[in-house]
Amino acid sequence: MKYCAFLRGVNVKGTNMKMADVCQVFKEAGMQDVSSVLASGNIVFSSDKNAGELRIILEKAMSDHFSYEAFLFIKSQEETQVFWGSIPFEKNSDLHIYAFVGNPGVENVLMTEFEAASKAENEKALIIKDIFYWQVPKGNTLDSSFGKVLGKKSLKDQFTSRNINTFEKILKKMN
């Protein structure tokens, strides 16, 4: 089965790694057809194991190899397609749209945080098919009240986010 591993915190805040090295760790952990998409930690691969088993194997392999606490979220090709196919917002050159990949139920935690945060004009969030989507004006992602919530240590093992354009690139690589 084809999967994508979405790694959290790669090439930000001092956790730097080359995607070729990450791909090698995946290969050494028994994954096939391994390739990366962008430098933000998106690894496409094949395996006959299930996502739960893969997460345990790959988090340990990444943690051991890179000497950091790895968090990653595994989605099948079909699940990854849902992220791209369920985008609730119209594309707009002035706005970023993010989708959040994470543990079951994290979309509700994120919505609670979003509702409590102050918002910029045109900043919105919706949950579609258990996926949290966030629209934010370009240039406001890290400065927004909700953007600051995303760095909370208490949430670091719960989710990661990607710009929706990344899902399109991942799906092209998977096909």
Side-chain angles (χ1 to χ4, degrees):
M1 180 177 280
K2 286 189 179 180
Y3 291 100
C4 184
F6 297 89
L7 284 70
R8 171 152 175 124
V10 171
N11 293 334
V12 294
K13 295 186 180 173
T15 304
N16 297 312
M17 53 190 74
K18 290 180 172 53
M19 289 303 105
D21 295 340
V22 174
C23 287
Q24 188 59 37
V25 170
F26 273 59
K27 289 174 187 170
E28 290 170 5
M31 306 308 118
Q32 295 89 42
D33 309 316
V34 179
S35 62
S36 64
V37 179
L38 305 173
S40 53
N42 311 292
I43 308 299
V44 173
F45 65 97
S46 297
S47 175
D48 55 7
K49 294 183 174 11
N50 70 46
E53 291 174 289
L54 292 168
R55 184 174 181 180
I56 293 166
I57 292 165
L58 294 170
E59 280 184 344
K60 180 173 182 355
M62 290 291 295
S63 294
D64 290 350
H65 184 85
F66 291 104
S67 301
Y68 86 115
E69 189 175 15
F71 300 107
L72 53 90
F73 305 92
I74 310 286
K75 296 294 176 187
S76 68
Q77 184 171 3
E78 294 75 22
E79 290 169 319
T80 305
Q81 179 64 48
V82 173
F83 280 85
W84 176 248
S86 302
I87 300 163
F89 305 117
E90 298 268 333
K91 279 194 168 188
N92 180 317
S93 60
D94 296 328
L95 304 168
H96 284 301
I97 302 171
Y98 295 93
F100 290 71
V101 184
N103 296 335
V106 75
E107 67 278 4
N108 299 314
V109 173
L110 291 167
M111 185 58 81
T112 299
E113 294 284 359
F114 180 79
E115 288 171 348
S118 59
K119 291 157 199 65
E121 185 178 345
N122 294 318
E123 187 175 1
K124 299 176 187 170
L126 287 171
I127 296 173
I128 305 293
K129 297 184 181 176
D130 298 326
I131 301 167
F132 183 86
Y133 291 92
W134 177 42
Q135 173 182 281
V136 62
K138 288 185 176 176
N140 286 56
T141 304
L142 298 176
D143 297 331
S144 76
S145 179
F146 180 69
K148 292 182 185 346
V149 167
L150 302 179
K152 277 186 172 178
K153 288 192 189 304
S154 63
L155 296 174
K156 72 179 179 179
D157 62 344
Q158 299 297 306
F159 70 89
T160 189
S161 64
R162 297 294 185 271
N163 185 297
I164 52 114
N165 298 326
T166 302
F167 289 96
E168 181 179 29
K169 291 177 175 123
I170 289 167
L171 288 165
K172 282 181 181 172
K173 183 77 86 156
M174 290 177 126
N175 289 326

